[in-house]
Amino acid sequence: VVSTQSTWDSGASVDFDNGDRLEYNTAGTVAGPATNDAARGKGVDMKFPFNKGNVSVYYTKLSRIEGEVLKYNPGEVVYYLGANEDCANGDRVEYNAAGTVAGPATTANVRGKGVSVKFPFNKGNVALYYTTLSRNPGPVK
């Protein structure tokens, strides 16, 4: 499974407790079969130049070609301008909240039409349509 060919991470950006991370659209090399229990048999270990060790990545999050160009770049701060909503998993979105773009939206209904955003008050990323985001805060309500 080891490959010297560049393989791109096509999932949203993730930071791990040990300081390693995954970044959307970053090239890495396959180091071998996944060693993480959750990804074993479903992915590979990847070596990215900015990490100390290898990171297990699911096959579904890898591509041999660079990922789509996003309207907002990973790491960019955006503001949510839609209505307040509670997500089924306990996360939420709030009008005018600032969040950081993590990568492309991965949910089927938002894929290709938005990005995943990490808000400081949520555990995970939230997939949001481009039409609900801005680089500038909205008017005070």
Side-chain angles (χ1 to χ4, degrees), residues 29-101:
T29 54
V30 176
T35 55
N36 176 286
D37 288 340
R40 192 170 285 127
K42 302 174 195 169
V44 292
D45 274 1
M46 294 289 299
K47 177 64 180 161
F48 293 99
F50 44 76
N51 286 339
K52 292 179 232 156
N54 296 330
V55 178
S56 293
V57 182
Y58 289 102
Y59 294 127
T60 57
K61 301 295 183 188
L62 296 173
S63 175
R64 294 257 187 225
I65 57 172
E66 288 187 70
E68 67 179 290
V69 175
L70 304 173
K71 183 175 177 179
Y72 300 107
N73 296 314
E76 186 173 356
V77 173
V78 293
Y79 296 85
Y80 176 70
L81 302 183
N84 294 351
E85 287 186 51
D86 293 321
C87 303
N89 67 356
D91 286 344
R92 66 186 193 277
V93 289
E94 297 175 357
Y95 175 78
N96 241 359
T100 304
V101 175

Side-chain angles (χ1 to χ4, degrees), residues 19-35:
D20 286 345
R21 65 187 190 275
L22 291 174
E23 291 182 6
Y24 173 70
N25 217 15
T26 300
T29 54
V30 176
T35 55

